[in-house]
């Protein structure tokens, strides 16, 4: 397999858009699991904000490892959908 960046626009857009969704969904899942409040002044909320930035940067960096833009959208979009599904499940279980 040869990695090239011929479809860099599709790969980068897949890293940015579903990557942001994955970061926000992961922030929601972690927030539900650690029972944080919505106040941005708490330490746990600040940790969640920085975690979301880290996840988004990692998704943008790894989007170029896919062989095509379509595969990047399928892979990162599927991960984003799974994270949000996990969030919805946990939101209904943890009250």
């Amino acid at each position: 397999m040869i990695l090239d960046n011929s479809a860099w626009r599709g790969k980068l857009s897949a890293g940015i858009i579903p990557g942001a969704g994955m970061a926000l969904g992961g922030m929601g899942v972690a927030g539900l699991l650690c029972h944080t409040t919505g106040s941005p002044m708490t330490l746990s909320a600040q940790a969640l904000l920085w975690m979301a930035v880290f996840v988004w940067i990692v998704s943008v960096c790894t989007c170029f490892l896919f062989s095509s833009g379509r595969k990047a959208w399928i892979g990162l979009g599927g991960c984003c959908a799974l994270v949000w599904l996990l969030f919805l499940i946990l939101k209904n279980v943890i009250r």
Side-chain angles (χ1 to χ4, degrees):
M1 177 173 81
I2 297 173
L3 296 176
D4 64 345
N5 287 329
S6 60
W8 68 272
R9 286 183 186 100
K11 293 176 186 180
L12 184 61
S13 65
I16 291 173
I17 297 169
M22 206 172 10
L24 293 174
M27 188 170 68
V29 168
L32 284 174
L33 291 176
C34 68
H35 302 290
T36 187
T37 63
S39 173
M41 299 303 232
T42 61
L43 183 62
S44 59
Q46 289 294 316
L48 290 176
L49 288 172
W50 284 104
M51 181 205 68
V53 171
F54 178 72
V55 170
W56 197 19
I57 289 172
V58 168
S59 70
V60 169
C61 291
T62 58
C63 71
F64 294 104
L65 296 176
F66 290 95
S67 60
S68 69
R70 181 176 179 226
K71 289 182 181 179
W73 270 95
I74 290 170
L76 293 174
C79 286
C80 179
L82 287 175
V83 167
W84 279 98
L85 180 66
L86 178 64
F87 173 74
L88 291 174
I89 291 170
L90 285 176
K91 184 179 169 189
N92 290 327
V93 170
I94 300 174
R95 289 186 185 203

